[in-house]
Amino acid sequence: MFTPLVVVELASDTKEEAIAWILSRIRDQQQNGGVHVGVDPLNSKISFDCEKENPNMFLVGATRQRLLSGAEEVGLFKECNDGSMRGFTCANKHNFKDFEGDGDSFLNMAECQYIIKHELDTLRAKDETHVPGHTQVKLYPGKSIIRRLQSKGILIQIFPLHGQEELKRLSFSWYKKVKLSFQPLDNIRHYYGEGQALYFGFLEYFTFALVPMALIGVPYYLFDWEDYDKYVIFAVFNLVWCTVILELWKRFSASLAYRWGTLSRKKAFEEPRPGFHGTLGFNPVTGRKEPLYPNAKRQLRVYLVSLPFVLLCLYLSLYIMMIYFQMEGWVLSFHDEEPTFWTGILMFIPSIIYAVVIEIMNLIYRYAAEFLTEWENHRLESSYQNHLVLKVLVFNFFNCFASLFYIAFVMQDMVLLRQSLATLLITSQILNQFMEAFLPYWLQRRRNKKMIRKVQKRRTVEEKELPLAEQVRLEADMSTYLGTFDDYLELFLLFGYVSLFSCTYPLAAVLVVLNNVTEVYSDAFKMCRVFKRPFSDPAANIGVWQLAFEAMSVIAIVTNCALIGMSPQVKAYFTESETQLILWTVAIEHMLLAFKFILTFLIPDVPKHIQIKLARLEFESLEALKKKVRKTL
Amino acid sequence: MFTPLVVVELASDTKEEAIAWILSRIRDQQQNGGVHVGVDPLNSKISFDCEKENPNMFLVGATRQRLLSGAEEVGLFKECNDGSMRGFTCANKHNFKDFEGDGDSFLNMAECQYIIKHELDTLRAKDETHVPGHTQVKLYPGKSIIRRLQSKGILIQIFPLHGQEELKRLSFSWYKKVKLSFQPLDNIRHYYGEGQALYFGFLEYFTFALVPMALIGVPYYLFDWEDYDKYVIFAVFNLVWCTVILELWKRFSASLAYRWGTLSRKKAFEEPRPGFHGTLGFNPVTGRKEPLYPNAKRQLRVYLVSLPFVLLCLYLSLYIMMIYFQMEGWVLSFHDEEPTFWTGILMFIPSIIYAVVIEIMNLIYRYAAEFLTEWENHRLESSYQNHLVLKVLVFNFFNCFASLFYIAFVMQDMVLLRQSLATLLITSQILNQFMEAFLPYWLQRRRNKKMIRKVQKRRTVEEKELPLAEQVRLEADMSTYLGTFDDYLELFLLFGYVSLFSCTYPLAAVLVVLNNVTEVYSDAFKMCRVFKRPFSDPAANIGVWQLAFEAMSVIAIVTNCALIGMSPQVKAYFTESETQLILWTVAIEHMLLAFKFILTFLIPDVPKHIQIKLARLEFESLEALKKKVRKTL
C-alpha cells in the first residue's frame, strides 16, 4: 500500500502487453533492474457517460523505506541536528533533525515526487529490443524506458499530484490575504521545490530593491524635476544601484540555496533529453549505450545556421523599426500641415501598428528559435535551455529596446524617449497581466465548472471534496506549467526599462514596483489554481538569468554614462570643446566599468557564515578520510 | 633505516631538552599524536676547524609504508592502469600504473619531501604549555609545533635535499645542451613539483606565442613600415592575439595540471601562516584552538591604511614622472639653444636619473608592501600572497607604464613613444639578467669553491662526490628560492610592453622572445645550481597571475583601440569631424571588449577530453554511492 504521488498517463491505444510489461518493470526489485516502486491503475468509481476518458491512467507511489533510499540516491541534502546541511544517508538517518520514528514525515511530498520521477527516469531497458506490442518503439540495453516512451508518444504525460490540504494552506498564506509581509518562500519551496521558490524569491527581492528608486522617482515626477537637467543625479544612482543589487542577490540566493540544501548538492549525471538523436555508441562518461552526435556538427549548426539566422532577424527587426520611424515622421508632417481631430488620432496609428508587428515577430521568432534549438540536437536539457534562452533573450532585447536606443542616441530627443518609455512600459504591463493571469484563469474556471457539474450530477450534495479519481482527472486536464522562462524574461525586460533609461522617466520604477506586486499575486494564483503541479527542480541559483541580468547592468552603465554626457547640465561645463566632453564621458565610463568588475570580485558570492559551514563539511570529510587511512594501516 | 629527504636546522642555542622533545614527538606513533617519521642528527665525519658550524642539523625521512599512507593523507593523484587520474589509496594501490612490487619507486623524491613537510606541519601540541627548556615559546593544544618553532626562531630552516643524480640528468636535458626543443616539463615537475613546472611551462608557452608577433614585427622594422601609418594592422593583430593566447593557455595549463594530478586534487585545510596572531579561540571550521583575528578589523586596515597608502604612492610616482618630463623639456631647450657635445650627453641625464629613481622607488615600495601586508595580519599564506601580489603589481604597472601612457595619450608623440619603449625594454632586460642570474651565480660559485677547498684539504683526491654531510652543509648555505613571484612579475611587465604599445615599436616582440629564451636558461640554471631545492607546490594553475594577465589584455584592447583611433591613417577618414572619429573608436572598442568577454565564455577552460575524464570520475563515485545504498538496504 502506498500514497499516490505521481500520475502517469499512457496513450489510450497502448497495447495490453506493453502496459503489463511497463507495470512489471516499474514494480520489479532493483536487483532485477526494476525501480521497485508501486504503480496502480486509476479506478474511476464513477464511469462518465462520455467515452473520451482515457483508461490508461496510473498512480505511482512508493513505500517509506524505498523513498528514503531514493533520497540517498538522488543526494538530497537535509538539516542535521547540529544545524548543518548534509547529504542524507539511511545509515545516519537519526542524525537528521526532522527524522522522527520511522521517518514518515521526514520527506515532504514534493521531494517524494521528485524521487519517484528520478527513479522512473533511471528505469533502463535490459535485453529488450523493443517495447512488447509496439515493435516500432526500439530499445537497447541501458536506454531509459520512460524517455523512449515519452519521445514515441506512448507516455502522454507524467505529473505530480497536488496536495489539496497543503495547497489550501499555502495559497491562503501566499495570496489570499492582503497583507504587508514577505512571501512564504519556505512553504513555496516545500510545495513546489527550489527552482520555483528561487523565482518567487527573486521577484520579491527585485521588487524591494526597486523601492528606493521608486521613492526617489516620485518627487522627481511630482515637482517636475524631469526637465532633463536634473536627471544626472538619478542616472548616477541607477548606475550604482543596479550593480549593487545584483551582487547582493547572489549572496541572498546562496543563503536560500544553502538553507534548502541545494547549494552543495551534487548534480546527478544528466540523461540525454528525449528529442536527442544520433548514431548508437557508447557514452565515454558512463560507458552506457546511447545515441552519440558529434559536437563539431552541432557547433557547425549553431555557428553557420542559427547565428546567421538570429543576426538576420535582428537586422529585420531594425529595418522594421526604421520603417516605423519613417511612418511617424510622415504622420507628424501630415498632422502639422492640417491639424484636425482625425489627424490627431492618426498620430497613434504607427505606434499601434509597430506594437502589433513587434508582438507578432516575437511570437514567430519564438517558434523559430525553438525549432532551431531542437534541430541543433543538444544532448542535455540544460544545454538546450541555455541556447534557447540566449536566442530569445537577444531578440527580445533588440525588439524592446532598439527603438529606445535609436531615440536616445541617434535622434537625441529626450521628450520622445520619455513618451516612448512610458508607452512601452504601460502597454506591455497591461498586455502581460492579461495574457498571463486573466486568460488562463478564465479558461481554467470554465473547465473546472464543467467537471464539477459533471461530478455533481452523480453525487449527493454532502460530499464537498472530490474523490481521488476525479481529482486526478481534473488535474490531468489542467494546463502544463512550462517553467519559469517567460516569467524571468518579463522581469529581465522590466529590469532593462528601469536600469537603461529610467533617468528620463522617473516614474518607471514606480510602475515596475506596482507591476511586480500584482505579478506576485497573479503568478501565485496561476501556480496554485491554473496549472498542474510541476516537478520540483533542485536549483541552487537562477542560472543563466543571473548572467543575463549582469549583462544588462553592464549595458546600463554604458547607456547611463552616455545619457549623462548628453545632458545639458554636463554639456554646460564643456562649452568650448565637444571632444573634451566625449573623452571625459568615456574615461568615467571605463572607470565605472572597471569599478564594477572589481566590486564583483571583492564581494564574495557566498556569505561568510555559509562559507564557514561549507568549509567545515569539507574539513570533516578530509579528516574522516585520514582516520580511515590510519585505521587500515 | 630511511633515506634522508628533508633537512631541519634548529638554532645553535636550542636547549638539549627541547631537541630531545622535538625528536621524540616527530618519531612518535601517530596514535600517540606523533607523525611517525624518522629523524637523525647529521653527523659530520669531518669536523672543520672553524667553530661556526651549527651542530643542530637533522635529517628527516620515512619508511616506504609511512610515505604511502602519507600520500593518501595529502590526497595525491596518480595515474591508474586505465589511464585516468585518481586519488591514491593504499587499499587500491595495485590499480595504479607505476606501482610495482612494494611500491619503492612509486613516489618520486619531490612527492616524498612534500609529504614529509606536510606531516611535520601537522605535528600538533598535545597538553604541553610551552616547548621544554624554552618557557617563552608558548604552546596550546592543537598548535602546529613546527610553525611555532619557526615563528619563534628556533627552527631556522627546513628544506628538501637535492637529488644529485636526478639533478645532473635534469640539468643536462634542460639547459646544458643547446638545442631546438621543448623544455622537459615532466622532468621539471618530477623534480621541483607542479608550481615550478607551471611557471616554466608558462614561460615557454608565452615565448612561443610571441613568435608570430616577432615574425610580423621584423619586416615592419626592416622595411621601415613603422612610419605610424601602417601600425593599424599591427594593433589589430595585437588585440586578437593577446585575448586568444590567454584563453588557450588556460586550456593548456588544465591539460598539464590534469596530467600531473593537481587539477581535481582537493586542497588540504590551510593552517594559519606563521606570522598570524590574534586572541586565542576556536576555529569555527576545524574546532581547533587557534588565534582568531576579526575580519572586520583586517578589512579596515586594508581599506583605510593600505589602500590610501598605495594610492599615495601612485600619486608620488606620477608626480616624479611629471618632474622627469619637465627636466626633459629643460634639457631639450638647453640643447636646442646651443648644441654641443656636452649638452648632447646632458640629454641622457634625466632618463638615467628617472630610471634610478624608479628602481629605488620599486625597492622601497616592495618593502613597504611586505610590511603592510604582514601588518594586515592575514590568516592564510594564500591570502597574504594575493594581497602582496596585488599591491606590488599595481605599483609596478604604474611605474613602468605611466610614462608611456603619458607620452602616447597626452603628448601624442609617437616617435618619443617608440624611443622610450625601446629604452625601457632593453635596459630592464639587461638589468634583470644581471641581477637575476649572473650575480647570484657568481656569489654561489665563490661559496662553492670555498667549501670544496675546505673539504679537499682533508680528503684524498680520488673521491669526487661530496659525502652526504658536506653536501647537506653546502646546500644549507645556498640561497633560498623565494618563489615564482618575481619571475611572474617580470613576465607580466614584458607582456605589458608587448601588448600595450608594441604596435609603435614592432621589434619589441623580437626583443622579448630573445629575452625569454635566455630567461629559460638562466632561470633553469638558477634553480639547479644557485638555490636550495624548494618544496614542491601542488598548483593546478598559475593562480592570481592568470587574472593579472587577463586584466592586462583588457587594458591592451583599450590602448590599442586608442592608438588606432589616433593614427593618421584612420584620422584621414574623418577629416571633417573629430567627434565622429572618437565615437567610432569608442564604439569599436566596446564591441571588442564585449567580444572578448563572449570569447572567454565560449572557449571552455578545460579541454573536452579532460572534461570527459573528470565527468567519468564523478559519475563513478555517484554510482558507487548508489550501489552502497542498495547493499545496505
Side-chain angles (χ1 to χ4, degrees), chain B residues 585-603:
Chain B
T585 310
V586 171
I588 289 171
E589 183 234 354
H590 276 72
M591 263 154 46
L592 283 171
L593 282 177
F595 182 69
K596 184 190 158 63
F597 279 99
I598 292 171
L599 213 66
T600 312
F601 268 103
L602 283 186
I603 302 179

Side-chain angles (χ1 to χ4, degrees), chain B residues 10-22 56 129-139 148-149 152-155:
Chain B
L10 299 180
S12 52
D13 60 351
T14 314
K15 296 281 189 303
E16 280 298 324
E17 52 187 310
I19 294 175
W21 172 76
I22 293 168
N56 294 331
T129 53
H130 57 86
V131 172
H134 295 262
T135 43
Q136 84 286 8
V137 184
K138 295 269 184 295
L139 288 172
R148 176 44 49 97
L149 293 176
K152 289 291 178 180
I154 295 181
L155 180 73

Side-chain angles (χ1 to χ4, degrees), chain A residues 370-389:
Chain A
E370 273 170 18
F371 174 79
L372 271 179
T373 318
E374 185 75 46
W375 177 72
E376 281 162 21
N377 198 15
H378 293 275
R379 186 181 164 274
L380 299 181
E381 185 62 32
S382 57
S383 152
Y384 171 86
Q385 284 296 337
N386 285 348
H387 276 83
L388 183 61
V389 167

Side-chain angles (χ1 to χ4, degrees), chain A residues 383-602:
Chain A
S383 152
Y384 171 86
Q385 284 296 337
N386 285 348
H387 276 83
L388 183 61
V389 167
L390 192 67
K391 282 196 192 72
V392 175
L393 213 65
V394 169
F395 188 74
N396 270 277
F397 179 83
F398 240 73
N399 251 355
C400 285
F401 298 117
S403 62
L404 294 179
F405 272 94
Y406 187 81
I407 295 170
F409 299 119
V410 181
M411 296 166 72
Q412 305 208 356
D413 183 342
M414 291 301 139
V415 183
L416 187 59
L417 179 61
R418 182 166 53 141
Q419 274 175 13
S420 304
L421 185 61
T423 317
L424 271 172
L425 200 53
I426 293 169
T427 47
S428 79
Q429 280 183 19
I430 292 173
L431 262 176
N432 262 320
Q433 294 290 347
F434 179 78
M435 297 283 285
E436 251 189 67
F438 182 72
L439 205 67
Y441 170 64
W442 183 71
L443 289 173
Q444 183 57 29
R445 210 182 164 87
R446 268 187 46 194
R447 226 178 289 149
N448 275 17
K449 272 195 186 148
K450 221 191 275 175
M451 184 58 141
I452 289 168
R453 221 177 300 129
K454 246 197 283 182
V455 175
Q456 275 176 342
K457 261 195 238 164
R458 343 208 129 236
R459 278 196 306 156
T460 51
V461 197
E462 298 92 272
E463 292 179 65
K464 262 196 161 175
E465 293 271 306
L466 282 173
L468 181 65
E470 271 70 51
Q471 181 61 37
V472 169
R473 293 207 184 271
L474 191 64
E475 287 186 24
D477 277 347
M478 285 170 118
S479 317
T480 304
Y481 181 64
L482 293 171
T484 45
F485 186 106
D486 287 290
D487 296 320
Y488 275 119
L489 184 63
E490 198 192 326
L491 282 189
F492 174 75
L493 295 177
L494 288 178
F495 181 68
Y497 288 123
V498 172
S499 60
L500 294 181
F501 296 107
S502 77
C503 59
T504 61
Y505 181 54
L507 270 195
V510 181
L511 286 176
V512 172
V513 166
L514 289 179
N515 175 75
N516 280 4
V517 172
T518 57
E519 181 89 18
V520 167
Y521 284 93
S522 69
D523 279 358
F525 179 78
K526 246 168 44 183
M527 291 304 301
C528 293
R529 299 289 303 276
V530 178
F531 289 123
K532 284 189 196 94
R533 184 177 189 168
F535 278 106
S536 79
D537 152 33
N541 49 52
I542 60 172
V544 66
W545 292 102
Q546 179 80 38
L547 255 178
F549 277 82
E550 266 164 33
M552 182 70 96
S553 80
V554 171
I555 299 172
I557 288 186
V558 179
T559 57
N560 277 298
C561 279
L563 286 175
I564 293 172
M566 279 159 50
S567 73
Q569 239 187 355
V570 171
K571 270 186 181 161
Y573 282 100
F574 294 91
T575 38
E576 73 290 347
S577 158
E578 205 182 0
T579 312
Q580 281 294 316
L581 167 64
I582 296 176
L583 287 179
W584 271 105
T585 310
V586 171
I588 288 171
E589 183 234 354
H590 277 72
M591 262 154 48
L592 283 171
L593 282 176
F595 182 68
K596 185 189 159 62
F597 280 100
I598 293 172
L599 213 66
T600 312
F601 267 103
L602 283 186

Side-chain angles (χ1 to χ4, degrees), chain B residues 586-633:
Chain B
V586 171
I588 289 171
E589 183 234 354
H590 276 72
M591 263 154 46
L592 283 171
L593 282 177
F595 182 69
K596 184 190 158 63
F597 279 99
I598 292 171
L599 213 66
T600 312
F601 268 103
L602 283 186
I603 302 179
D605 287 357
V606 177
K608 189 84 187 169
H609 67 278
I610 292 174
Q611 275 179 28
I612 289 177
K613 282 179 182 165
L614 294 178
R616 190 160 59 201
L617 275 190
E618 186 85 347
F619 176 75
E620 279 172 11
S621 77
L622 281 175
E623 288 295 295
L625 177 75
K626 278 189 196 167
K627 259 181 209 150
K628 214 187 72 192
V629 174
R630 281 172 195 166
K631 256 184 210 159
T632 54
L633 286 177

Side-chain angles (χ1 to χ4, degrees), chain A residues 114 118 121-122 124 144 147 266-274 276 283 285-286 288 290 378-386 537, chain B residues 615 618-619 622-623 626:
Chain A
Y114 176 78
H118 178 266
D121 265 349
T122 58
R124 296 176 190 290
S144 163
R147 298 218 164 199
K266 270 186 193 159
K267 271 201 176 163
F269 186 78
E270 267 188 281
E271 293 285 317
R273 53 191 300 270
F276 179 66
N283 182 306
V285 174
T286 60
R288 284 196 203 117
E290 74 170 42
H378 293 275
R379 186 181 164 274
L380 299 181
E381 185 62 32
S382 57
S383 152
Y384 171 86
Q385 284 296 337
N386 285 348
D537 152 33
Chain B
E618 186 85 347
F619 176 75
L622 281 175
E623 288 295 295
K626 278 189 196 167

